[in-house]
Amino acid sequence: MHRKRTRFAARVHRVALALERRGIRATYELHDRLLSNRLARRRFAQRPPQLDGKQQALVQALDRDGYAVASWVDFFQDEALWREIEAQGARFRAKTEAALSGEGAEELKRHAGKEFVVRLYSYGVDLGLDDPWFRACLSRRLLDVANAYLRLWSKLEYVDLWYSIPQPADAERRASQRWHRDYNDRHLLKAFLYLADVDEEAGPFQYVPGSQPGGPYASAWRWQPLGITYPPEEELARRIPAEAVKTFTAPKGTLILCNTSGFHRGGFATGKPRLLATCTYSSPASLASLTERSYAFRGDLGQLDPEQRYAVS
């Protein structure tokens, strides 16, 4: 009798989870098509960004491949801002490596299951325009590219710096080191800025061009809210040829923009650490029940233009 009750309870739990997933997916589609994103698209149509040639080239590459690459200094044309971000990364690296080599490693900001990544901020931090990486992410230089690619006014959801700790070469890939799709939105754009040279030993970012919605590999475990985000690696290798994978080994100062609702992985550092700055732009329909903004804006909203205010509020 106990076994029957246990099996019945398990069945009830599976049915409840299935109904919950169905409800969340329906809610997401409603917000994407009719509620949250409708207003964001209208605002974009009323005030489309005026892109220069370099911004247009990035949006065109994103539309075609799901990713785009540029030299930070060449794209931003702001050497002083680069030096500030570079110094910010150097301080973070020095503090992290000092803690890892001595006492204080337990105080580093790491998430359960992803202990191989140390974060400068993680969640619950106040950020303002005095922070150089945050200032760059909120700049119209980057924000306009995100909005133009997503065809709506986007939210700046996440801002951080990451330090990937080298692992044994024969270690098993875990969490984001494995191929996956980000679960929270189909309208996503992530930026990765390499703050140190990244070769094969530093765990380069990898991406499957065309696996974003609308691409030739979009149907492989297609993106959907709460869908299969981590397919078996060996099955993915059978369905997507190795030559279709783009590996971003690149020098310090490389900016990578990517729609991470497509398949990606990275951070499997072995011989040396990977140091980068990252941020995420998403649509207002992003699953609020599963996603939270990583920061609170510390500053005067009146000093921001409408697109920027929308992004941080």
Side-chain angles (χ1 to χ4, degrees), residues 2-310:
H2 173 71
R3 215 172 294 143
K4 286 183 179 179
R5 286 177 179 167
T6 302
R7 285 199 298 268
F8 177 74
R11 269 179 57 195
V12 169
H13 181 64
R14 285 196 301 271
V15 170
L17 283 178
L19 290 173
E20 181 182 22
R21 285 174 180 269
R22 192 178 304 169
I24 289 173
R25 288 169 183 168
T27 300
Y28 173 83
E29 295 297 338
L30 181 64
H31 276 274
D32 183 17
R33 298 180 187 210
L34 296 175
L35 300 179
S36 303
N37 286 354
R38 187 176 184 180
L39 176 59
R41 292 188 179 103
R42 185 185 306 145
R43 291 186 175 184
F44 174 80
Q46 292 169 345
R47 287 174 54 108
Q50 302 302 306
L51 306 182
D52 66 17
K54 292 179 179 179
Q55 290 173 307
Q56 289 175 10
L58 291 180
V59 174
Q60 289 167 2
L62 286 163
D63 284 338
R64 182 181 64 247
D65 302 319
Y67 77 89
V69 182
S71 160
W72 176 269
V73 173
D74 179 63
F75 172 67
F76 249 85
Q77 298 288 302
D78 190 337
E79 184 75 25
L81 178 58
W82 163 246
R83 294 302 174 199
E84 284 189 70
I85 297 170
E86 187 180 35
Q88 183 181 27
R91 291 191 299 271
F92 171 51
R93 178 172 189 160
K95 183 178 179 181
T96 299
E97 292 180 346
L100 290 172
S101 62
E103 296 183 2
E106 68 282 353
E107 297 179 5
L108 295 174
K109 294 178 180 177
R110 292 186 276 187
H111 294 179
K114 294 183 69 172
E115 291 85 357
F116 53 87
V117 178
V118 179
R119 302 160 195 262
L120 175 60
Y121 295 131
S122 190
Y123 285 82
V125 65
D126 292 338
L127 291 177
L129 297 178
D130 56 332
D131 182 287
W133 175 236
F134 178 77
R135 188 164 73 249
C137 297
L138 191 58
S139 72
R140 292 294 298 274
R141 191 81 185 137
L142 268 183
L143 184 60
D144 282 356
V145 170
N147 290 352
Y149 171 61
L150 299 175
R151 273 71 171 181
L152 47 71
W153 278 16
S154 63
K155 299 292 187 178
L156 178 56
E157 174 193 304
Y158 181 87
V159 179
D160 215 340
L161 273 66
W162 292 349
Y163 178 101
S164 297
I165 303 171
Q167 308 293 304
D170 59 353
E172 184 177 349
R173 286 179 178 266
R174 295 179 292 145
S176 58
Q177 295 172 335
R178 297 174 51 213
W179 288 113
H180 64 286
R181 297 182 184 275
D182 286 348
Y183 60 81
N184 50 305
D185 204 347
R186 65 164 60 94
H187 309 290
L188 280 177
L189 184 66
K190 276 191 178 177
F192 300 99
L193 175 61
Y194 284 173
L195 300 180
D197 294 344
V198 175
D199 59 16
E200 291 287 355
E201 292 187 326
F205 179 69
Q206 293 182 292
Y207 187 70
V208 178
S211 62
Q212 76 281 6
Y217 296 112
S219 61
W221 299 278
R222 69 182 180 87
W223 185 91
Q224 57 180 331
L226 295 182
I228 298 174
T229 55
Y230 282 87
E233 297 256 306
E234 61 279 4
E235 285 189 35
L236 187 141
R238 284 196 293 269
R239 293 180 64 174
I240 297 176
E243 57 268 23
V245 174
K246 173 70 176 176
T247 298
F248 296 87
T249 52
K252 178 180 183 177
T254 298
L255 173 66
I256 304 163
L257 301 176
C258 184
N259 183 338
T260 53
S261 67
F263 281 116
H264 62 288
R265 67 180 183 178
F268 189 60
T270 54
K272 61 188 71 170
R274 186 184 69 170
L275 181 68
L276 59 76
T278 184
C279 69
T280 303
Y281 304 92
S282 64
S283 81
S286 182
L287 293 175
S289 60
L290 300 174
T291 308
E292 60 177 319
R293 186 176 275 115
S294 68
Y295 66 91
F297 176 65
R298 172 177 44 78
D300 181 3
L301 289 173
Q303 294 181 338
L304 306 179
D305 63 30
E307 289 87 342
Q308 292 171 318
R309 286 198 298 272
Y310 192 85

